[in-house]
Amino acid sequence: MRRSVGVAVASAAVLLAAGCGGGGPRSSGAEKLTDDKIVLGVLNDQSGAYSELSGKNSVKAVELAVADFKAKYGDKAVTGDINVVTADHQNKPDVANTRAAEMYDRKAVDAIFDVPTSSAAEKVADVAKEKRKPYFNITAATTTLTGAKCNRYTFHYAYDTYMLANGTGRNSTTQGARNWYMVYPNYQFGQDMEKSFSAAVQAAGGQVVGRDAAPFPNTSGDYSTYLLKAPTLQPRPDVLGTMQAGTELVNLVKQYNEFKLRDKGIGLAVGLMFLTDIHSLTPAALSGTVYTDAWYWNYDVQNRTFADRFQAETGTRPTFAHAANYSAATQYLEAVQATGTDDADAVVGDLEGKEIEDVFLRNGKIRAEDHRVVHDAYLAQVKPAAEVAEPWDYVKILKTIPAAEAFRAPSADCKM
């Protein structure tokens, strides 16, 4: 039976109206909420490599979700007292661990959102499990969150390394990029990306002729060692597969262009790219680059309407991380509204198996088996500068990757 947000809320409305004589879904009593309020926590990088692609603008996205929830339910909302708190984890696992515990224990946070950097995300997942509080991972990509590190209170929302590799790695290989040289950041995310991309390339009939782990964070910003090495490999790579993200990707691509590797017959495949990366580099620097995207602001009218509002608040168009944080916060609040409580087990039970259509999730479903949120993904290509008709509209969507194909099947490693 299909369970959608609309169906769930409508069902709650019927039951509560029958029991209370009310006109819409709402709590049967404020005592069901801890401290009579809801507190949402956004934990992310607000000063480093991933601050532009998510950062403080993801805090704004969650605040927009709160505003929309209040506007939707008015005095029928489970509570009007909803606060958003935030902290900078500096892309450090130990800092993320401490900040997450502080949020749950000292700041009375009901659910944590975002958390880029896979090693940090794993720490927060452990804390969520210990504290028995929901955590919606948005910006970390490691598949361990739906594998060995899965738990009842963690949801992996936007994307993962499998989605990226299955889209970009497989497609580029079948289009003729048979020999790959991988350069990846030497931490959990980069290691997972290298493994996922290598598997996808090999499954499509290609081979990895070389792979190197770059320091993370790369404080020097220097990738010349790897870029000079690429043309010397035998067989010579058809493509350089870069697994960096954020400002580290920006630095690598700038140097790729400076060393004129494309002129030497070595193309560029980007494992993970955000709209802010293209904006920093300019479309001219990335023209023709194909990558896999979880969401695009100008895909349709619904997305653009959200993007217009987001830009009015922030001065920038939203990345998929911003849209996903908005969506996750919305779905959490809807679950609290439907159950009438912020009790974590009740909220998790409402979310498990739910099918969702919203501004971020198309054909979305929260798998009960592993809490992987599956949805349509997109094979995208950066436009030539001459085709860019307005600021930020740098991408054309080549095809939709259906939700059923975009993500891996539930892993046997996941023991809820």
Side-chain angles (χ1 to χ4, degrees):
M1 179 178 180
R2 180 178 178 87
R3 291 212 312 138
S4 68
V5 171
V7 172
V9 172
S11 298
V14 172
L15 292 173
L16 288 168
C20 309
R26 63 180 298 167
S27 168
S28 61
E31 68 278 5
K32 289 189 177 182
L33 289 181
T34 307
D35 300 325
D36 297 332
K37 64 182 179 181
I38 299 171
V39 183
L40 307 183
V42 182
L43 179 60
N44 61 18
D45 171 18
Q46 298 183 10
S47 56
Y50 303 150
S51 58
E52 290 296 320
L53 60 88
S54 187
K56 294 179 181 179
N57 282 343
S58 281
V59 181
K60 175 56 67 176
V62 171
E63 290 172 346
L64 289 175
V66 171
D68 287 350
F69 176 81
K70 291 180 177 180
K72 178 178 180 180
Y73 289 106
D75 61 4
K76 291 183 172 62
V78 67
T79 180
D81 190 357
I82 307 174
N83 303 311
V84 180
V85 300
T86 184
D88 184 352
H89 70 14
Q90 303 167 36
N91 292 318
K92 297 177 180 178
D94 56 337
V95 175
N97 183 86
T98 301
R99 295 288 183 267
E102 288 175 348
M103 280 186 163
Y104 287 136
D105 291 341
R106 299 182 186 178
K107 298 184 178 180
V109 164
D110 294 293
I112 289 177
F113 299 85
D114 205 14
V115 194
T117 308
S118 292
S119 51
E122 288 184 346
K123 290 291 188 181
V124 176
D126 289 342
V127 176
K129 181 180 179 181
E130 176 191 348
K131 305 295 183 182
R132 297 176 178 264
K133 292 287 188 73
Y135 158 44
F136 295 82
N137 171 66
I138 306 299
T139 322
T142 178
T143 54
T144 60
L145 295 176
T146 51
K149 285 284 187 179
C150 79
N151 67 71
R152 174 168 173 76
Y153 302 98
T154 296
F155 296 85
H156 200 166
Y157 212 83
Y159 76 115
D160 59 27
T161 58
Y162 179 92
M163 185 203 88
L164 298 172
N166 187 54
T168 308
R170 186 179 295 272
N171 178 77
S172 297
T173 303
T174 57
Q175 294 297 313
R178 314 300 289 181
N179 297 317
W180 287 65
Y181 173 42
M182 303 283 192
V183 179
Y184 59 95
N186 195 18
Y187 78 106
Q188 185 70 53
F189 161 71
Q191 295 157 6
D192 286 353
M193 286 285 280
E194 188 277 318
K195 291 176 184 176
S196 295
F197 264 76
S198 293
V201 167
Q202 291 162 5
Q207 65 176 334
V208 179
V209 300
R211 51 174 62 84
D212 279 303
F216 179 83
N218 189 343
T219 55
S220 72
D222 183 12
Y223 293 93
S224 60
T225 299
Y226 316 108
L227 298 171
L228 290 170
K229 178 179 178 178
T232 70
L233 293 171
Q234 294 297 327
R236 175 175 291 201
D238 301 307
V239 62
L240 169 68
T242 171
M243 305 298 128
Q244 277 69 23
T247 57
E248 298 207 338
L249 172 65
V250 171
N251 288 334
L252 189 146
V253 173
K254 285 180 178 177
Q255 292 165 50
Y256 166 87
N257 288 328
E258 289 169 3
F259 284 103
K260 301 186 183 301
L261 291 191
R262 193 181 301 276
D263 294 342
K264 297 175 183 178
I266 301 174
L268 179 68
V270 177
L272 173 61
M273 187 153 61
F274 289 83
L275 182 67
T276 44
D277 301 326
I278 306 172
H279 188 71
S280 294
L281 286 161
T282 75
L286 289 160
S287 177
T289 301
V290 175
Y291 68 105
T292 304
D293 207 348
W295 181 89
Y296 184 56
W297 73 269
N298 207 17
Y299 176 71
D300 60 15
V301 173
Q302 183 180 13
N303 288 12
R304 184 171 183 118
T305 300
F306 171 76
D308 287 346
R309 181 178 172 213
F310 186 87
Q311 186 174 37
E313 294 281 346
T314 66
T316 184
R317 293 297 191 182
T319 67
F320 78 71
H322 301 137
N325 273 289
Y326 172 89
S327 171
T330 297
Q331 299 312 325
Y332 172 78
L333 292 172
E334 290 285 0
V336 173
Q337 182 73 18
T339 58
T341 179
D342 59 359
D343 176 79
D345 289 304
V347 170
V348 168
D350 182 79
L351 290 170
E352 286 182 330
K354 184 172 287 186
E355 297 185 6
I356 303 167
E357 297 288 335
D358 68 10
V359 71
F360 177 76
L361 297 173
R362 308 299 162 85
N363 296 305
K365 181 177 181 179
I366 303 175
R367 289 196 310 218
E369 301 94 327
D370 59 358
H371 291 182
R372 170 71 261 173
V373 182
V374 300
H375 55 89
D376 291 350
Y378 308 94
L379 194 66
Q381 185 176 45
V382 180
K383 295 176 180 178
E387 294 182 13
V388 176
E390 63 177 302
W392 296 98
D393 188 24
Y394 305 139
V395 174
K396 54 186 175 184
I397 302 301
L398 301 179
K399 72 173 184 179
T400 297
I401 304 171
E405 299 175 14
F407 296 90
R408 70 176 184 174
S411 169
D413 293 334
C414 178
K415 312 293 184 185
M416 273 295 176

